[in-house]
Amino acid sequence: MGVGAKEEDREEKRTVPEITLRPFTISDVDDFMTWATDDRVMRFSRRPTCTTKDECLTHMKDHIMPHPWCRAICIDDDGRPVGLVSVMPAPGADVHRASIGFDVAYDYWGRGVATAAVKKAASAVFEEWPLLERLDAVAEVNNTASRRVLEKAGFRREAVLKSYLVLRGESKDMIMYSLLSANSVVR
Amino acid sequence: MTWASDPRVTRFQRRGPCTSEEDARRYLADHVLPHPWYRAICVDGRPVGSINAKPGQGEERFKASIAYRLAYQHWGRGIATAALRAAVSSLLEEWPHLERLEAIAEVENPASQRVLEKAGFLREGLLRKYVMLHGKSRDVVMYSLLAAGPKLR
């Protein structure tokens, strides 16, 4: 990102975006394509960058529509999605744990959109899933943009997990972050 | 059943103690025998514990997580460390695509943390409320051992 950290914070204090989260519909595909085909957004993603509308439609049908918790990030002017935030419950018996991920269209970077979306999503899932105690996320060591989002959203850095995932054919070291319901929810 | 029914051993395991021979047989049939990698740890030819490895799926297939348990009367003799070392050796050979082996030990289980360290695993950090064990979420220490060995990045 071209904006330095301090400048970014000042910008955010001026214009904190009002965002809403809503489920996707298949008719969101054109807006979805805006970021899903953009390497600048997708280069750190587990998902490959889509290249065609058909690929995007398939991805939406196969992964987004059946997802346990996936939301379009909308900025309230016209309600059109500018990004995505999703929360995936941990496998098996760990019902107390889930992982969060997010993508925001490049033109909307630097405005605090992802941070606001992550905060809203965290609130929502801690409320909807009363057994949830831990929300975590991993980000590549040099994905400074996403790491700042998580830090600003109140996540705590826990560890560097070496060769944790293979992304785009290479094994990557990932930083594990977590947010506990005990630290963020008044129940 | 020696170790599987002993709460001192199962204290740090997801599964509670086996309560009957029937229970243990069913566990062996349903879980142990069909498992991708499950081995008995033997002393003088007799099983005194077990060790298993679970490979990841999809983009996580380059890693596997290891877990082990040992009958209480055999604790403190370096058996678990030796078993881990042997398992790591075998796994790196049998699964050449493997890049990362990981293991977790509860914060309150320093014995297991020492075993992992002696077996060459490196501590990566404390993951808060990472696992659910006997109805309560627990903090664990994450350990890893890389196929490529420790690297300066």
Side-chain angles (χ1 to χ4, degrees):
Chain A
M1 288 172 71
V3 179
K6 280 205 183 124
E7 210 178 303
E8 203 186 300
D9 287 349
R10 257 186 275 125
E11 264 189 48
E12 278 182 41
K13 287 180 172 85
R14 279 201 301 270
T15 53
V16 175
E18 190 58 55
I19 61 133
T20 49
L21 304 181
R22 62 154 175 84
F24 277 95
T25 65
I26 207 77
S27 57
D28 289 324
V29 63
D30 291 312
D31 293 312
F32 176 73
M33 277 182 75
T34 315
W35 70 84
T37 57
D38 188 344
D39 246 342
R40 294 170 302 184
V41 177
M42 298 305 287
R43 67 190 181 106
F44 290 114
S45 177
R46 297 190 191 207
R47 301 260 151 247
T49 309
C50 290
T51 47
T52 66
K53 184 159 178 170
D54 268 343
E55 275 175 38
C56 289
L57 278 167
T58 304
H59 179 78
M60 288 190 80
K61 285 193 190 126
D62 293 349
H63 297 284
I64 292 187
M65 304 312 293
H67 197 284
W69 203 98
C70 184
R71 299 287 181 268
I73 303 169
C74 301
I75 296 191
D76 62 3
D77 6 54
D78 59 3
R80 290 173 62 181
V82 299
L84 171 159
V85 60
S86 63
V87 180
M88 180 64 87
D94 289 334
V95 293
H96 70 297
R97 175 161 61 99
S99 299
I100 191 164
F102 50 92
D103 298 307
V104 171
Y106 191 77
D107 289 348
Y108 289 86
W109 285 24
R111 292 208 239 158
V113 172
T115 306
V118 166
K119 282 181 173 169
K120 265 212 151 103
S123 267
V125 292
F126 281 136
E127 165 119 21
E128 290 171 37
W129 301 338
L131 296 180
L132 189 64
E133 296 180 50
R134 171 189 170 94
L135 199 53
D136 59 29
V138 289
E140 258 184 77
V141 173
N142 48 6
N143 187 353
T144 46
S146 286
R147 288 175 53 194
R148 274 193 60 69
V149 167
L150 292 166
E151 284 155 18
K152 285 188 287 180
F155 281 67
R156 192 194 292 187
R157 174 189 167 130
E158 289 178 327
V160 178
L161 307 180
K162 301 259 184 208
S163 298
Y164 193 63
L165 290 177
V166 171
L167 299 175
R168 321 237 152 170
E170 264 186 70
S171 73
K172 307 282 184 187
D173 296 346
M174 309 290 288
I175 305 188
M176 173 71 84
Y177 288 89
S178 71
L179 181 69
L180 301 185
S181 59
N183 299 145
S184 59
V185 168
V186 178
R187 283 214 170 105
Chain B
M1 273 190 72
T2 318
W3 66 86
S5 58
D6 185 343
R8 291 168 303 190
V9 176
T10 65
R11 183 176 156 212
F12 295 115
Q13 276 185 194
R14 288 179 191 272
R15 246 189 88 86
C18 281
T19 48
S20 66
E21 198 177 297
E22 169 68 41
D23 195 23
R25 272 184 210 281
R26 213 176 316 124
Y27 183 73
L28 276 168
D30 297 346
H31 182 81
V32 174
L33 298 181
H35 197 282
W37 203 96
Y38 206 109
R39 300 284 182 270
I41 301 169
C42 296
V43 170
D44 299 332
R46 294 196 62 185
V48 297
S50 67
I51 185 161
N52 59 278
K54 194 167 171 203
Q57 308 278 2
E59 76 242 340
E60 303 191 11
R61 66 193 178 278
F62 301 92
K63 68 181 182 202
S65 56
I66 291 194
Y68 65 90
R69 70 281 324 155
L70 192 64
Y72 189 73
Q73 76 253 40
H74 294 284
W75 288 17
R77 291 165 54 194
I79 295 174
T81 306
L84 260 170
R85 288 206 182 113
V88 167
S89 229
S90 296
L91 287 164
L92 292 180
E93 198 177 302
E94 289 174 43
W95 296 343
H97 59 278
L98 209 55
E99 297 210 20
R100 170 187 173 92
L101 282 166
E102 63 183 34
I104 54 173
E106 241 187 277
V107 163
E108 287 151 29
N109 190 356
S112 203
Q113 292 170 33
R114 274 196 302 276
V115 164
L116 289 165
E117 283 156 17
K118 285 191 285 176
F121 283 72
L122 290 178
R123 183 194 166 113
E124 290 180 324
L126 194 151
L127 307 186
R128 303 176 299 168
K129 296 185 179 285
Y130 194 65
V131 294
M132 183 67 86
L133 218 59
H134 308 164
K136 212 173 155 268
S137 62
R138 319 272 172 161
D139 294 350
V140 300
V141 184
M142 173 69 85
Y143 286 87
S144 73
L145 190 149
L146 303 185
K151 259 195 249 181
L152 287 171
R153 285 175 200 262

